[in-house]
Amino acid sequence: MDIDKRQFLKILGISSALWVGSRFAGGISSLFGIGDKFDTKALADAGFEISKTLPDPKALTAKQWAIAIDIRQFKTADDYKKCIMVCDKIHNIPDISTKQDIKWIWEEPYNAAFPEQHNNYMGGQLKDKPVILMCNQCEFPPCVRVCPTGATFKRQDGIVMMDYHRCIGCRYCMAGCPYGSRSFNFQDPRPFLKKIDPEYPTRTKGVVEKCDFCAERLDKGLMPACVEASNGAMVFGDLRDPGSDIRKILSSNFSIRRKPELGTQPNVFYLI
Amino acid sequence: MIEKAFNGSKKYWIWLIFLAALLGFCFHFYLIQLNEGLKITGMSRNVSWGLYIAQFTYLVGVAASAVMLVIPYYLHHYKAFSRMMILGEFMAIAAVTMCMLFIFVDLGQPMRVMNVILYPQLHSVMFWDMTVLSGYLVLNLLIGWTTLEAERKDVAPPSWVKPLIYLSVVWAISIHTVTAFLYAGLPGRPYWLSAIMAARFLAGAFCSGPAILLLLVFLVQKFVKYRVGEESIQALSKIVAYAMSANVFFLLLEIFTAFYSHIPDDTDVFRYLFVGLDGNTSLVPAMWVSAGLAIVSLAILIPPQLRNNKKLLTVALIALVVSTWIDKGFSLIAAGFVPNPFGRVTTYLPTFPEIMIVLGVYTIGLLILTILWKVAVSVKEKTAA
Amino acid sequence: MYDSGKIITGLVLFVGLVTLPFWYSIGKAQVKPDPSLNTPVINQMKVKHCIESKQFMIDNHMELLNDWRNAVVRDNKTLYVSTTGQSFTMSLEVTCFHCHSNEKQFCNQCHSYVNIQPYCWECHVKPAEEIANGH
């Protein structure tokens, strides 16, 4: 085979580019912590027991978690406050008073929470009555659909979860969420925390956060904090289990959900 | 060929140094943002995208508009565009680069940007947008550079370029369609949730992109001997006239559907834009300026005797660029979040540091454009001589 | 050689830049890292043993923590059963800092020596802060 100088240089160029490329890719993957994992198989071959990770046997499990909020049982300002404050406290949610604020669970007047139910002649009692709002943990969550990195994803038990380590802060999920349930850390949240609960991480600037039905508590066998604080005004359970408390409540009461027409199948129900 | 970029007049170097200095100044504000977070912008919990994403959207259109030269020149063998072609392709390169930078400066955690590639999510439109934009950048670099090099050597471009050119036609349409899908597929944003979004984006792109190209050509012709030719200017301004008509028409379709159906979700945003909502009128003056300038530009562009007057054409093109920029480069994003899911209006106004960062990205675009056009014009002038 | 002046100046500058890290650290004494195990909890332990062997932890703690966070956040698994069969809650705060409550004398010893800045503390609360509570 005849190779002239030009062809030789071409082959040399291409092969060295490939080599550099492969090195670069290797470098990138180790930089981001993929690849180069410690070799559990080698450990096992050497006669070691292999370590493993397991769910907590006490963990609460379900096919689809859901909450029913009986707003008839919320009477005094304190009824709302105790549910909201316990969440703010255990999740280190900063108190920012600008338009760049952070909310996981909060209250809105009935009219704002259900704008499509608006009716000028409704009694003032319900019209302006505050309603507890939080992430709807949609069965078909638009935020998960649009997230470009899988930083927000659906767990086996239906909870729409945030991976704060992976979020790049593009805020596409905030545009996607039709319920205004997501908040972005425009700044470091720590200066806005009076007290930090050391058992739960704060967030860093540049990531999106939201309510996750207290996934960390469920995994330890505890009910969501707001449900626990509500004295029975909120009922939590597995929507796919016909015998669950929430199914009983939903079959015996009239309930509504926020913007059901969007097809997201919200998993927060309101008894009015 | 790149050596042409290092061999320029005193004015050329002064311009480059000016751009570099401006970039340095603006970069300082990006460092502040990197340090303090996006709190230095005017964005908020309710209006969570702003000027950065709006510029990205506008510039995807500018990049895609190169196809308005490619189709007549390569598909219909319209030779008058031969002296304009490379300028359009190189402008697309500068525009796509700016698009990527605008996404980058918008990120809360920019050092994690590789996560989009490390954990690709095929159901996310943003993943596909990244794919088509990078592909378009590579296509234009390959096609532009190769055809220019062939011209310099006075040989026909290599045969493998042809299929790439045909591919670039489809690809150009795809970048703006996918960008429209970013918005048009979101259930809770009535202003964006519209099937005509991609068509409106393309019409807006095909008038604003060539308009910017023509204005830049007029400017550059003041400094170089190179001329693109009267015929190509007239042909391109005709394309601008048609595209702008379609752009305005599509907007009117949206307004009809909203107001005749009388669905509040759809009318609220137009009320917010043109008369104000809940007493909030912050965008109203800008929107009427945009509408007025759109009428001015069409009034000059449609009658041939006005359009072919170079001075009037310049006025029309400037009016068109400002009008489309207000519509697509600002209010499209800011108003897409209004009213919020609770029926409330949140005003968005960009802050000074935010505007400086935007200026910085445009400066990088101008630097790339200057260098690429310098190479192109030098080669063209030499082959013509 | 044409332009020898420019070429030689360029070469000198290049070599200077490439070797900059060496010039930069000349004359600075590097203290050998010495992670301290002197914390109340560790002092009370009869057998001082981490969740895995010391060498394994030195070599692999970063990958281990990375796997932990994926298991906890993405797979709802919260328990780690070590090679010795003991089980631990996968949590920086609850498990790691329970014993290693001395970030400065433990974590930072090596991290400063090799000049890396893990961003754990941007979200996870440092053990010292637990005592100070807030800022």
Side-chain angles (χ1 to χ4, degrees):
Chain A
M1 194 171 77
D2 278 339
I3 300 181
D4 64 16
K5 194 175 89 183
R6 211 181 143 85
Q7 276 172 318
F8 173 74
L9 286 174
K10 251 187 201 167
I11 294 168
L12 189 72
I14 291 169
S15 48
S16 52
L18 282 175
W19 183 77
V20 169
S22 65
R23 298 294 298 173
F24 182 69
I28 290 280
S29 59
S30 64
L31 190 68
F32 285 88
I34 61 169
D36 283 358
K37 291 213 168 152
F38 58 84
D39 196 350
T40 43
K41 198 179 163 295
L43 277 174
D45 291 346
F48 286 101
E49 286 282 325
I50 316 170
S51 64
K52 54 189 174 215
T53 53
L54 299 169
D56 192 324
K58 294 195 299 286
L60 302 178
T61 55
K63 289 208 172 68
Q64 176 65 62
W65 289 118
I67 287 186
I69 303 176
D70 189 348
I71 64 171
R72 297 166 300 193
Q73 290 192 44
F74 285 86
K75 293 196 174 84
T76 64
D78 198 50
D79 292 339
Y80 297 92
K81 220 172 136 190
K82 64 188 179 198
C83 297
I84 294 170
M85 274 186 33
V86 67
C87 174
D88 287 354
K89 193 169 145 279
I90 67 165
H91 295 124
N92 291 322
I93 295 164
D95 182 15
I96 299 170
S97 51
T98 65
K99 284 191 285 188
Q100 300 176 337
D101 55 337
I102 310 267
K103 290 189 277 205
W104 282 30
I105 171 170
W106 73 105
E107 48 182 280
E108 291 281 353
Y110 177 86
N111 259 347
F114 301 96
E116 62 283 358
Q117 302 285 342
H118 181 74
N119 156 2
N120 283 335
Y121 308 102
M122 194 155 48
Q125 252 176 329
L126 188 58
K127 202 169 109 190
D128 301 320
K129 181 166 181 160
V131 175
I132 291 260
L133 301 183
M134 63 182 87
C135 169
N136 277 302
Q137 313 291 346
C138 305
E139 196 180 337
F140 304 106
C143 55
V144 171
R145 202 181 307 145
V146 299
C147 177
T149 63
T152 194
F153 60 97
K154 244 184 93 175
R155 300 202 327 176
Q156 298 276 310
D157 56 5
I159 291 179
V160 177
M161 186 75 177
M162 272 302 302
D163 183 342
Y164 302 117
H165 293 90
R166 196 183 282 185
C167 176
I168 60 172
C170 70
R171 309 189 296 297
Y172 197 10
C173 55
M174 294 176 78
C177 176
Y179 301 105
S181 294
R182 291 179 158 265
S183 310
F184 178 69
N185 285 279
F186 285 91
Q187 57 201 311
D188 178 13
R190 289 202 178 175
F192 301 90
L193 286 163
K194 280 190 201 80
K195 200 170 183 291
I196 295 179
D197 186 333
E199 289 215 2
Y200 199 83
T202 67
R203 268 67 64 199
T204 182
K205 68 169 188 285
V207 298
V208 173
E209 62 181 85
K210 69 170 195 78
C211 153
D212 57 11
F213 269 7
C214 286
E216 83 287 0
R217 287 171 60 89
L218 297 174
D219 291 344
K220 281 190 289 200
L222 298 166
M223 289 293 245
C226 58
V227 173
E228 210 173 77
S230 72
N231 280 336
M234 291 190 198
V235 175
F236 184 76
D238 187 356
L239 215 53
R240 301 279 180 272
D241 171 10
S244 64
D245 287 350
I246 188 163
R247 282 287 291 271
K248 282 180 205 148
I249 291 254
L250 290 178
S251 60
S252 57
N253 287 275
F254 173 68
S255 62
I256 57 173
R257 290 183 292 176
R258 295 176 64 204
K259 301 183 200 284
E261 72 278 11
L262 299 180
T264 58
Q265 297 294 352
N267 284 302
V268 177
F269 295 78
Y270 294 90
L271 313 183
I272 52 167
Chain B
M1 216 157 54
I2 190 75
E3 73 279 359
K4 306 275 186 211
F6 300 110
N7 201 349
S9 67
K10 208 169 174 186
K11 273 183 193 159
Y12 170 72
W13 285 108
I14 290 174
W15 171 239
L16 284 189
I17 290 167
F18 166 74
L19 287 179
L22 185 60
L23 177 61
F25 177 71
C26 297
F27 190 70
H28 161 73
F29 290 93
Y30 182 65
L31 290 180
I32 297 178
Q33 180 182 300
L34 209 53
N35 197 30
E36 294 186 25
L38 286 158
K39 82 164 199 203
I40 64 151
T41 69
M43 290 183 268
S44 58
R45 192 177 188 277
N46 284 325
V47 185
S48 45
W49 278 340
L51 210 50
Y52 300 149
I53 293 296
Q55 300 323 292
F56 153 78
T57 312
Y58 193 77
L59 288 168
V60 175
V62 173
S65 74
V67 80
M68 287 292 99
L69 296 167
V70 175
I71 291 176
Y73 183 70
Y74 285 109
L75 265 50
H76 300 280
H77 307 289
Y78 181 66
K79 290 298 163 205
F81 279 160
S82 66
R83 300 172 66 80
M84 188 100 88
M85 203 51 244
I86 189 72
L87 300 180
E89 281 164 349
F90 279 175
M91 187 173 83
I93 292 171
V96 178
T97 313
M98 285 189 275
C99 291
M100 292 173 159
L101 287 171
F102 274 120
I103 292 280
F104 187 77
V105 298
D106 187 64
L107 295 181
Q109 288 281 341
M111 55 288 205
R112 297 184 189 165
V113 65
M114 293 303 278
N115 281 3
V116 180
I117 296 161
L118 289 171
Y119 309 101
Q121 305 290 312
L122 302 190
H123 48 69
S124 172
V125 183
M126 203 172 273
F127 170 79
W128 292 108
D129 212 31
M130 182 211 68
T131 311
V132 289
L133 279 176
S134 353
Y136 193 66
L137 181 66
V138 172
L139 273 179
N140 271 286
L141 269 171
L142 267 178
I143 295 168
W145 203 261
T146 317
T147 50
L148 189 66
E149 187 134 53
E151 191 169 337
R152 188 177 73 138
K153 291 177 186 151
D154 205 15
V155 293
S159 53
W160 52 264
V161 178
K162 209 72 194 220
L164 287 186
I165 290 169
Y166 295 142
L167 180 65
S168 83
V169 172
V170 187
W171 208 283
I173 311 277
S174 84
I175 61 167
H176 218 22
T177 305
V178 175
T179 303
F181 286 175
L182 277 178
Y183 310 106
L186 304 179
R189 311 286 171 191
Y191 188 35
W192 297 339
L193 185 68
S194 163
I196 210 170
M197 203 64 160
R200 226 182 111 192
F201 269 27
L202 285 166
F206 294 160
C207 60
S208 60
I212 293 173
L213 179 63
L214 280 173
L215 288 170
L216 286 171
V217 164
F218 294 164
L219 190 71
V220 168
Q221 283 188 351
K222 286 192 196 300
F223 299 98
V224 298
K225 285 194 257 14
Y226 183 68
R227 292 291 173 266
V228 295
E230 273 312 302
E231 193 192 334
S232 68
I233 294 174
Q234 286 183 12
L236 197 55
S237 49
K238 212 178 290 172
I239 290 174
V240 172
Y242 277 110
M244 182 61 176
S245 309
N247 186 35
V248 172
F249 177 63
F250 290 161
L251 178 69
L252 294 174
L253 294 183
E254 291 269 37
I255 291 176
F256 169 82
T257 308
F259 284 91
Y260 196 79
S261 69
H262 207 257
I263 295 174
D265 269 356
D266 296 336
T267 56
D268 278 353
V269 69
F270 287 107
R271 280 186 220 278
Y272 171 61
L273 287 173
F274 289 100
V275 293
L277 195 67
D278 295 342
N280 194 315
T281 55
S282 51
L283 291 188
V284 172
M287 286 316 289
W288 284 108
V289 168
S290 171
L293 290 176
I295 293 168
V296 168
S297 70
L298 281 181
I300 299 172
L301 283 170
I302 292 171
Q305 57 272 40
L306 298 184
R307 182 175 68 228
N308 290 340
N309 175 323
K310 182 90 174 283
K311 280 210 175 96
L312 279 177
L313 177 64
T314 310
V315 172
L317 294 176
I318 293 174
L320 186 148
V321 171
V322 175
S323 170
T324 52
W325 186 86
I326 292 173
D327 173 37
K328 200 170 155 191
F330 185 71
S331 75
L332 175 93
I333 300 302
F337 291 97
V338 173
N340 76 354
F342 310 99
R344 296 195 194 99
V345 179
T346 307
T347 313
Y348 163 75
L349 281 176
T351 60
F352 178 72
E354 196 177 359
I355 293 169
M356 285 299 110
I357 291 169
V358 167
L359 187 66
V361 176
Y362 273 111
T363 310
I364 294 176
L366 270 178
L367 263 171
I368 295 171
L369 188 75
T370 306
I371 291 167
L372 288 177
W373 276 24
K374 171 74 178 56
V375 171
V377 169
S378 305
V379 169
K380 289 266 185 184
E381 275 179 342
K382 206 159 177 213
T383 49
Chain C
M1 190 159 71
Y2 299 109
D3 288 333
S4 57
K6 281 181 195 166
I7 292 171
I8 290 167
T9 323
L11 277 176
V12 170
L13 273 176
F14 175 75
V15 172
L17 275 175
V18 167
T19 51
L20 192 67
F22 298 102
W23 301 115
Y24 184 73
S25 54
I26 261 181
K28 280 185 201 163
Q30 294 293 344
V31 187
K32 202 167 170 256
D34 180 24
S36 158
L37 298 177
N38 179 20
T39 69
V41 179
I42 298 177
N43 285 338
Q44 278 177 15
M45 289 168 87
K46 283 195 197 88
V47 188
K48 295 188 185 359
H49 193 265
C50 197
I51 57 166
E52 297 288 355
S53 76
K54 183 178 170 187
Q55 197 54 47
F56 180 89
M57 293 310 290
I58 292 174
D59 295 343
N60 297 309
H61 67 279
M62 9 18 202
E63 286 90 353
L64 181 87
L65 288 174
N66 195 46
D67 282 4
W68 275 24
R69 74 161 192 84
N70 278 330
V72 173
V73 176
R74 304 192 74 91
D75 305 326
N76 15 339
K77 291 176 176 168
T78 55
L79 293 183
Y80 177 78
V81 183
S82 73
T83 50
T84 57
Q86 276 178 294
S87 76
F88 300 92
T89 301
M90 290 188 278
S91 161
L92 259 185
E93 287 90 348
V94 175
T95 305
C96 305
F97 301 160
H98 178 66
C99 298
H100 300 291
S101 53
N102 51 343
E103 179 233 351
K104 282 205 179 73
Q105 284 79 42
F106 187 73
C107 312
N108 290 1
Q109 284 288 314
C110 299
H111 293 165
S112 309
Y113 181 70
V114 295
N115 193 22
I116 58 156
Q117 288 89 28
Y119 55 83
C120 313
W121 320 116
E122 285 179 25
C123 299
H124 292 274
V125 185
K126 287 182 191 181
E129 271 179 295
E130 187 179 342
I131 301 148
N133 247 329
H135 296 260

